[in-house]
Amino acid sequence: MLSIKRLSLEDARILLTGAEAKSREIGVPMCIAVTDESGHLIAFNRMDGGKVTSIDIAINKAFTAACARRGTHEYNKMAVPGSPTFGIQNSNQGRFCIIGGGLPVVVDGEIVGGIGCSTGTAEEDQVVAQGGIDYFLQHRK
Amino acid sequence: MLSIKRLSLEDARILLTGAEAKSREIGVPMCIAVTDESGHLIAFNRMDGGKVTSIDIAINKAFTAACARRGTHEYNKMAVPGSPTFGIQNSNQGRFCIIGGGLPVVVDGEIVGGIGCSTGTAEEDQVVAQGGIDYFLQHRK
Amino acid sequence: MLSIKRLSLEDARILLTGAEAKSREIGVPMCIAVTDESGHLIAFNRMDGGKVTSIDIAINKAFTAACARRGTHEYNKMAVPGSPTFGIQNSNQGRFCIIGGGLPVVVDGEIVGGIGCSTGTAEEDQVVAQGGIDYFLQHRK
Amino acid sequence: MLSIKRLSLEDARILLTGAEAKSREIGVPMCIAVTDESGHLIAFNRMDGGKVTSIDIAINKAFTAACARRGTHEYNKMAVPGSPTFGIQNSNQGRFCIIGGGLPVVVDGEIVGGIGCSTGTAEEDQVVAQGGIDYFLQHRK
């Protein structure tokens, strides 16, 4: 039998709080999604001004980071034509997102969820996702 | 040019707070989704114990209520075999949800968004959605 | 070799004009779609106040009427559980619409397109679709 | 509560009229779609000779431009392999279109809708979409 660690809704809210603070700091409103370690959505916020097309992208970034167990920016580099991983972006009914801004949430060396941000550039999205994680690691109970 | 009113993220959070309180009151953890008046997700919470299959259902209930402009329980009664509306549940790529628990959010006679709840019975889901709306109408700023 | 008659964009606009007039007459704003005889969209109008969920439904009603060659209200009666046609509403990736309001457009005994209306009751939708056809048959060039 | 500006059907028709005139001027019949600021279709015309495959493309260009808030030709340049945005064309169930010819419609600094054209080259499609916007900004009421 396996024993799994998983973000609670309370944990997810701390991640959202941290990401939202970072989003305000850099001045780019975001769609922010938090999934559990199985890639299923726990919590989502579209800040006023977040893009409609980023709803899907943020959720899929969190899904991908949690389940493929890497930052989505890493897959961005791996999934170029000619590389052996090219094509992975078409898998999972198009839900495998290879744009930066999705990060696994790791506690005690275990992936317990994912966070995905979208609306800015991939770099901005990643900064906001990391902001959520940094805040979470300091404030989780 | 049309002028439209739409829930803000702050509004959506008040709806989530009210629905979550009602959910605790009846003892059934829920997936709770809030969309804008165009059916696009603003905020989502899966309470600890909310069903994974209810993520999609809650989001689609909120979408349907906002965009088809009725409680989803009304469509449940209208969409039985032999009735003229039967089949509507297959529309919108399966996103048209006819299970009770989705309600339009109305302010000053205008639909400004939708709320959808799922995990309990359709009746419980509807009670929680209504709890969110009641709380919102009292506490919105 | 086959020779096919097909609505032009000019024809489609006459259908839209007639349907819109009928829609105003009964006081229910509509989504109105016109397809060619192959079920492909030629023209679409969402009147101010038409439902967002009715975009898909109107287009699919026109598609179904043109390609399945009957009013969608006829399929509504044929597709009840226990009847031999039950299940047809799941075909064509859910695009086969069995709610009244879709009618084939017939010229000289040939189906040259389809019209689909949605937002009101199935009965209202059908009245508006028929209004479009009646106007078209009088005013086409 | 947010307050949003949105194209009316009358506005959408002015956009279609302008785009159609430009399309005739360059001699390439087009599929032309206009969505509201939330990406939902308001009006669509397939000119005689417009491609069937361009129905979907025109609608998705308008959706993308309105909701991702850039011309689709900009995403075309941003979404090349090796760039951080590569993969965005797989998002939103394939509806995120990165072919030129989709433009946001901006009034008083606010995006109030999107226009998408398809059938010609991406450059021709963009010229026709821009023609619709130029005409709209001169003739809207």
Side-chain angles (χ1 to χ4, degrees):
Chain A
M1 199 65 52
L2 305 178
S3 178
I4 305 292
K5 276 192 205 162
R6 171 178 295 171
L7 293 173
S8 66
L9 175 55
E10 188 187 6
D11 292 324
R13 281 174 173 152
I14 299 171
L15 282 153
L16 287 182
T17 299
E20 187 174 332
K22 180 59 73 177
S23 160
R24 294 192 193 284
E25 187 186 315
I26 68 168
V28 184
M30 290 273 164
C31 292
I32 309 164
V34 177
T35 66
D36 64 24
E37 92 302 334
S38 294
H40 295 308
L41 192 64
I42 306 175
F44 174 85
N45 273 187
R46 174 161 51 111
M47 294 168 66
D48 300 343
K51 290 180 182 175
V52 164
T53 43
S54 288
I55 300 168
D56 179 76
I57 296 171
I59 293 173
N60 289 343
K61 283 179 181 175
F63 159 76
T64 302
C67 294
R69 301 186 195 151
R70 285 175 186 268
T72 50
H73 61 287
E74 297 187 48
Y75 280 106
N76 186 264
K77 288 180 187 153
M78 294 161 67
V80 291
S83 100
T85 308
F86 182 58
I88 203 165
Q89 69 273 21
N90 297 321
S91 72
N92 290 270
Q93 296 80 47
R95 298 189 61 211
F96 198 109
C97 185
I98 61 164
I99 305 168
L103 293 172
V105 181
V106 180
V107 171
D108 300 334
E110 245 175 276
I111 295 178
V112 295
I115 181 168
C117 299
S118 179
T119 287
T121 64
E123 290 76 6
E124 289 166 341
D125 295 348
Q126 188 178 335
V127 163
V128 171
Q130 187 62 53
I133 289 175
D134 292 344
Y135 183 86
F136 170 69
L137 294 178
Q138 288 176 345
H139 293 83
R140 73 190 187 87
K141 285 152 198 171
Chain B
M1 199 71 49
L2 307 177
S3 182
I4 306 290
K5 277 192 205 160
R6 171 178 296 169
L7 294 172
S8 67
L9 176 55
E10 188 186 7
D11 292 323
R13 280 175 173 151
I14 299 172
L15 282 153
L16 287 182
T17 299
E20 186 173 332
K22 180 59 74 178
S23 160
R24 293 193 193 283
E25 186 188 316
I26 68 169
V28 184
M30 289 274 165
C31 291
I32 309 164
V34 177
T35 67
D36 63 25
E37 90 301 331
S38 292
H40 294 307
L41 193 64
I42 305 174
F44 174 85
N45 273 184
R46 174 161 51 109
M47 294 168 64
D48 300 342
K51 291 180 183 174
V52 165
T53 44
S54 288
I55 300 168
D56 178 77
I57 296 171
I59 294 172
N60 288 343
K61 284 180 181 177
F63 160 77
T64 302
C67 293
R69 302 185 196 149
R70 285 174 186 269
T72 50
H73 62 287
E74 296 187 49
Y75 280 107
N76 186 265
K77 287 181 186 154
M78 294 162 67
V80 292
S83 100
T85 309
F86 180 59
I88 204 164
Q89 67 274 22
N90 296 323
S91 75
N92 288 271
Q93 298 78 51
R95 297 191 62 209
F96 199 109
C97 185
I98 61 164
I99 305 168
L103 294 172
V105 180
V106 180
V107 170
D108 300 335
E110 241 176 278
I111 294 178
V112 295
I115 181 168
C117 300
S118 179
T119 287
T121 64
E123 290 78 7
E124 289 167 342
D125 295 347
Q126 189 178 334
V127 162
V128 171
Q130 187 63 54
I133 290 176
D134 294 343
Y135 182 87
F136 170 70
L137 293 178
Q138 288 177 346
H139 292 83
R140 75 190 187 85
K141 286 153 197 170
Chain C
M1 199 65 53
L2 305 178
S3 179
I4 305 292
K5 277 192 204 160
R6 172 177 295 171
L7 294 172
S8 66
L9 175 56
E10 188 186 6
D11 293 324
R13 280 174 173 153
I14 299 171
L15 282 153
L16 287 182
T17 299
E20 187 174 331
K22 179 60 75 179
S23 159
R24 294 193 193 283
E25 186 187 316
I26 68 167
V28 184
M30 290 273 164
C31 291
I32 309 164
V34 177
T35 66
D36 64 24
E37 92 302 333
S38 294
H40 296 308
L41 192 64
I42 305 175
F44 173 86
N45 272 187
R46 174 160 52 109
M47 293 168 66
D48 300 343
K51 290 180 182 175
V52 164
T53 43
S54 288
I55 300 168
D56 179 77
I57 296 172
I59 294 173
N60 289 341
K61 283 179 181 176
F63 160 76
T64 302
C67 294
R69 302 187 194 148
R70 285 175 187 267
T72 50
H73 62 286
E74 297 187 47
Y75 280 107
N76 186 265
K77 289 181 186 153
M78 293 161 68
V80 291
S83 100
T85 308
F86 182 58
I88 203 164
Q89 70 272 21
N90 298 321
S91 72
N92 289 270
Q93 297 79 50
R95 298 190 60 210
F96 198 109
C97 184
I98 60 164
I99 306 169
L103 293 172
V105 181
V106 180
V107 171
D108 300 335
E110 243 176 276
I111 295 178
V112 294
I115 181 168
C117 299
S118 179
T119 286
T121 64
E123 290 78 6
E124 289 166 340
D125 296 348
Q126 189 178 336
V127 163
V128 171
Q130 187 63 54
I133 290 176
D134 293 344
Y135 183 87
F136 170 70
L137 294 177
Q138 289 176 345
H139 292 83
R140 75 191 186 86
K141 286 151 195 170
Chain D
M1 199 70 51
L2 306 177
S3 182
I4 306 291
K5 276 192 206 159
R6 172 177 296 170
L7 293 173
S8 67
L9 175 55
E10 189 187 5
D11 293 323
R13 280 174 174 150
I14 299 171
L15 283 153
L16 287 182
T17 299
E20 186 174 332
K22 181 58 75 179
S23 160
R24 294 193 193 284
E25 187 187 315
I26 68 169
V28 184
M30 288 274 164
C31 291
I32 309 164
V34 177
T35 67
D36 64 25
E37 89 303 331
S38 292
H40 294 308
L41 192 64
I42 306 175
F44 174 84
N45 274 186
R46 173 161 52 109
M47 293 168 67
D48 301 343
K51 291 180 184 173
V52 164
T53 44
S54 288
I55 300 168
D56 179 77
I57 295 171
I59 294 173
N60 288 343
K61 283 180 182 176
F63 160 76
T64 302
C67 294
R69 301 182 196 152
R70 284 176 186 269
T72 51
H73 62 287
E74 295 186 49
Y75 281 106
N76 186 264
K77 287 181 187 154
M78 295 163 66
V80 292
S83 100
T85 309
F86 180 59
I88 203 165
Q89 67 273 22
N90 296 323
S91 74
N92 288 269
Q93 298 79 48
R95 297 191 62 210
F96 199 109
C97 184
I98 61 165
I99 305 169
L103 293 172
V105 180
V106 180
V107 170
D108 299 334
E110 241 176 278
I111 294 178
V112 295
I115 181 168
C117 300
S118 179
T119 287
T121 65
E123 290 77 8
E124 290 167 340
D125 295 348
Q126 188 179 335
V127 164
V128 171
Q130 187 63 54
I133 290 176
D134 293 343
Y135 183 86
F136 170 69
L137 294 177
Q138 289 177 346
H139 292 83
R140 74 188 187 86
K141 287 152 195 168

